[in-house]
Amino acid sequence: MLRPLGAVLPLRTEDLEELKLENTLKLKSGATIKQVSRTEADKKNYLTRGILTQMHLMPGGDPVAFDRAEDGSLIYYFDADKVVEAPPEQWYFPRARKEEKRLESGSTIERMSIKRAASCGYYTKERLLQMHYEVIEEPVAFTVKGDGTTLYFYDKKTAVRLPLECVKCGKDIRYRRKLCRKCYEEDLAQRREEGDIYRGAYYGMERERVLFFDLELTGVYDHDEIISISITDATGKIIMDTLVKPAHKKKWKQTEKIHGITPDMVADAPLLDELIPEIKRIFAGADNIIAYGVSTDYSHIKYIYDTEAEREELKAKTRCCANEFVRYAHEHLPDLSHASLTDAMAAFEVDWDGIAHTSIADTIGCMKVWEKLFPNYYSKA
């Protein structure tokens, strides 16, 4: 019968990284393995970690079975068909003499230096406890100290993660952001108050001089090209909305699935070089230029400028709506796991104008989300 982890660890079910259920174990990966005897393991050609080490091999995946030694520690078995060669640096290492030790389970472990053990992810029981891990598997290696006593090493990967204490009060178990629930809620309330003051401030910007823009691209890399650009001001006026014919790319099947722009659609569109003078004129008259995820758009639009000084001037005007929504979500929607433009619009109950993931719809959506985030951003006049 397996000893229940709950008998020795004050853990909630959701904190357990390895759950013991009768004669099975649920691993960190989610896989469940059964307990087998040494005889059964031999019949199935399963190998212990000690045998793998002797053969200069290492596990290529999760254990496939386990057993328990007389001292209560776990012995993991691995499928011989799913092992890989260990890195050469783990084969050979300086040592005074070759030495092995046989454990009560019958497994053999080898002697190694503390330095090499650490390189393999093996640590002493005391060191693992300092790292907030509890040992449940038998030793995987050992060394001999100067006074002749034996020091055993255990594999960190198979140790159980202990709950960590709150970094603020140091009393309760961590809940979020390395804080316990009480400290987290106090911290959240403070951050929310500060964020609401920041977003609710009056900025006095002129709507005609605040621009929103979005690009659609042939891909996600710097060498990809712009195939659509949309610009509006904060009144909702569309200043530019055009497809762009790429100078080099002929097809873009992956991103085509997202924005729906095909090579045929841009065949008669203007080249970016033809649009550059007008784009520069539009941007020159803006105080702020805002996009949702501005880093990607800026990394492509900056190349319409020839000098670094011009690019820095443009960058100084840009604002990222995505970053502002992420901050808002951390303060008001801490359970939200994604922060795309679609998520932001849903959070503020904003409807799409046009087809999502087209540059004009994304530009207008960004404009609406920004006004929800900063209701006093524009001048009252």
Side-chain angles (χ1 to χ4, degrees), residues 24-269:
T24 63
L25 279 179
K26 187 173 182 181
L27 305 177
K28 298 175 186 177
S29 64
T32 300
I33 59 175
K34 295 182 178 180
Q35 183 175 12
V36 300
S37 67
R38 180 62 180 270
T39 302
E40 291 177 286
D42 289 341
K43 287 180 180 179
K44 295 183 178 181
N45 199 28
Y46 291 163
L47 304 176
T48 64
R49 192 184 302 277
I51 294 174
L52 290 177
T53 300
Q54 293 174 29
M55 300 171 66
H56 301 312
L57 298 173
M58 60 190 297
D62 286 338
V64 293
F66 77 98
D67 196 7
R68 180 168 294 284
E70 292 183 5
D71 62 0
S73 61
L74 293 181
I75 305 166
Y76 284 112
Y77 292 110
F78 300 87
D79 189 338
D81 294 329
K82 296 180 180 179
V83 297
V84 297
E85 188 176 38
E89 60 268 21
Q90 293 186 17
W91 298 5
Y92 310 107
F93 54 93
R95 52 187 174 184
R97 62 181 182 276
K98 184 175 182 179
E99 188 177 338
E100 296 177 341
K101 182 180 288 289
R102 184 173 292 276
L103 303 177
E104 293 181 3
S105 65
S107 297
T108 300
I109 59 175
E110 66 175 325
R111 179 176 178 175
M112 62 174 61
S113 67
I114 294 177
K115 183 177 181 180
R116 179 172 180 261
S119 72
C120 297
Y122 304 159
Y123 302 93
T124 64
K125 187 178 295 186
E126 293 73 23
R127 178 67 183 121
L128 283 170
L129 188 59
Q130 292 174 357
M131 299 162 70
H132 299 280
Y133 284 88
E134 186 201 35
V135 169
I136 59 171
E137 186 187 11
E138 64 179 358
V140 293
F142 75 100
T143 191
V144 178
K145 298 169 64 175
D147 60 5
T149 57
T150 301
L151 196 62
Y152 289 102
F153 300 116
Y154 302 83
D155 191 344
K156 180 183 175 184
K157 295 191 295 295
T158 57
V160 172
R161 190 77 157 91
L162 294 169
L164 301 177
E165 296 177 343
C166 172
V167 296
K168 185 175 181 180
C169 69
K171 299 177 181 178
D172 295 323
I173 294 173
R174 292 182 187 181
Y175 171 64
R176 285 179 176 170
R177 295 171 66 94
K178 298 184 179 181
L179 301 173
C180 65
R181 182 182 288 272
K182 180 181 178 182
C183 291
Y184 169 78
E185 290 176 351
E186 292 174 352
D187 175 72
L188 177 62
Q190 181 179 345
R191 289 187 290 111
R192 183 180 293 164
E193 180 180 2
E194 293 172 353
D196 288 345
I197 292 173
Y198 160 68
R199 286 183 292 271
Y202 175 68
Y203 290 88
M205 304 298 293
E206 295 181 28
R207 287 183 179 271
E208 293 78 4
R209 295 180 64 83
V210 176
L211 301 182
F212 297 86
F213 83 105
D214 185 69
L215 309 176
E216 299 301 338
L217 308 166
T218 59
V220 298
Y221 301 104
D222 286 347
H223 60 75
D224 282 298
E225 298 181 74
I226 297 170
I227 53 175
S228 176
I229 179 170
S230 299
I231 306 172
T232 72
D233 65 18
T235 69
K237 178 182 177 182
I238 298 176
I239 299 174
M240 176 179 284
D241 180 31
T242 180
L243 294 173
V244 182
K245 181 179 180 179
H248 305 289
K249 296 284 185 178
K250 302 302 180 184
K251 52 186 177 181
W252 42 89
K253 291 186 178 180
Q254 292 301 315
T255 52
E256 182 183 324
K257 297 175 184 178
I258 300 172
H259 49 56
I261 301 173
T262 67
D264 288 342
M265 293 170 64
V266 300
D268 298 323

